Amino acid sequence: MGNFWSSLFHSKFVGLRWFEFFFSGQDFIRVMRNTLASSALTLTIGFLVPIFIAILLNECKNLSFKKLVQTSSYLPYFVSWVIASNIIVTLLSSNGAINQLLMDLGITRESILFLQEGKYFWWVIAASNTWKDMGYNAIIYLAAISAINPELFESASVDGAGRLRQIWNILLPAIKPTMVILLILNVGNLLNTGFDQYFLLGNSMTRDFSDVIDTYSFRYGIQNNMYSYATAVGLFKSAVAFILVITVNRIAKKFETSHLF
């Protein structure tokens, strides 16, 4: 076999063979569907919720309650997915708090198998990602809100504008550049769904909905020792992410809004 460098530089170059194998494979459509669907849900929910939380925290006048909510909301960001997934599994189990709450409220008559039925998996992933990252993203929007000139709100109040009108006409337009920048960055990660949460929360019963590009490349690259194939799949994901960032940035630039470059 020789050493690492001789194996690297004397390996046979197969061109686009592994890309053709991936695109023509029977798993391509399923993996892309799962990746795009779960990422789109995460992008939509995870983009709107932090803005909503930041606005609520900004309007909160009780400093003690504000600090408590802010701390508890961004604490999950620093928790590893191993611990977070165990919390999610416990909450969503048949005897977990979520099912007990739904039955106590009369919404359901029996436990819902959130992690055993594939139709729920995309929503579980979207909610989990949002719960874990919403506090950290809300801090960014709070920083943008704190940079707004308070005299704008005072002038609007004198003119008779209520809080909702001030939020709609002053606060949201002021943080729009931050929103656009974060949206561009999040779109670039559309195919980069993450590996930990899918690997830890997915199982054989939800494979048709939980198998995304990251878990697919791990299964073929590490478990089946097809390192070249997994590298090709990863390169495809990076190329698509690059194209998405360039495209969305150009669209934002065309509409004369904030953009990366």
Side-chain angles (χ1 to χ4, degrees), residues 106-232:
I107 299 176
T108 59
R109 295 183 178 180
E110 56 184 13
S111 299
I112 300 176
L113 304 178
F114 289 104
L115 298 177
Q116 283 77 39
E117 297 185 25
K119 61 182 180 180
Y120 299 116
F121 188 80
W122 295 343
W123 295 98
V124 171
I125 286 294
S128 302
N129 286 327
T130 302
W131 165 71
K132 200 169 185 303
D133 297 336
M134 64 181 181
Y136 181 81
N137 293 329
I139 294 176
I140 300 176
Y141 292 114
L142 282 173
I145 293 174
S146 64
I148 302 175
N149 190 349
E151 295 180 358
L152 296 176
F153 296 101
E154 296 175 0
S155 300
S157 179
V158 171
D159 292 338
R163 292 304 303 176
L164 292 178
R165 180 67 65 179
Q166 294 176 29
I167 292 173
W168 184 259
N169 291 329
I170 299 177
L171 191 148
L172 289 178
I175 66 174
K176 181 181 177 181
T178 304
M179 295 166 57
V180 173
I181 294 297
L182 291 180
L183 179 61
I184 294 174
L185 295 175
N186 290 333
V187 169
N189 291 323
L190 195 62
L191 295 186
N192 189 23
T193 54
F195 169 78
D196 297 343
Q197 57 269 48
Y198 290 88
F199 182 76
L200 294 169
L201 295 176
N203 52 66
S204 58
M205 290 180 288
T206 60
R207 174 66 63 83
D208 290 337
F209 293 86
S210 63
D211 195 19
V212 294
I213 291 181
D214 290 320
T215 56
Y216 178 80
S217 60
F218 167 78
R219 190 169 64 255
Y220 276 87
I222 304 300
Q223 295 181 344
N224 295 344
N225 296 325
M226 297 176 64
Y227 302 112
S228 300
Y229 180 52
T231 302

Side-chain angles (χ1 to χ4, degrees), residues 63-127:
L63 295 180
S64 299
F65 180 75
K66 180 178 180 180
K67 291 181 179 179
L68 177 63
V69 173
Q70 189 173 357
T71 302
S72 59
S73 63
Y74 73 69
L75 187 61
Y77 180 81
F78 301 99
V79 178
S80 69
W81 268 111
V82 176
I83 299 175
S85 63
N86 278 278
I87 296 174
I88 295 168
V89 169
T90 302
L91 291 175
L92 296 179
S93 63
S94 58
N95 296 322
I98 301 298
N99 274 309
Q100 290 295 329
L101 179 62
L102 293 177
M103 288 188 290
D104 291 340
L105 294 177
I107 299 176
T108 59
R109 295 183 178 180
E110 56 184 13
S111 299
I112 300 176
L113 304 178
F114 289 104
L115 298 177
Q116 283 77 39
E117 297 185 25
K119 61 182 180 180
Y120 299 116
F121 188 80
W122 295 343
W123 295 98
V124 171
I125 286 294

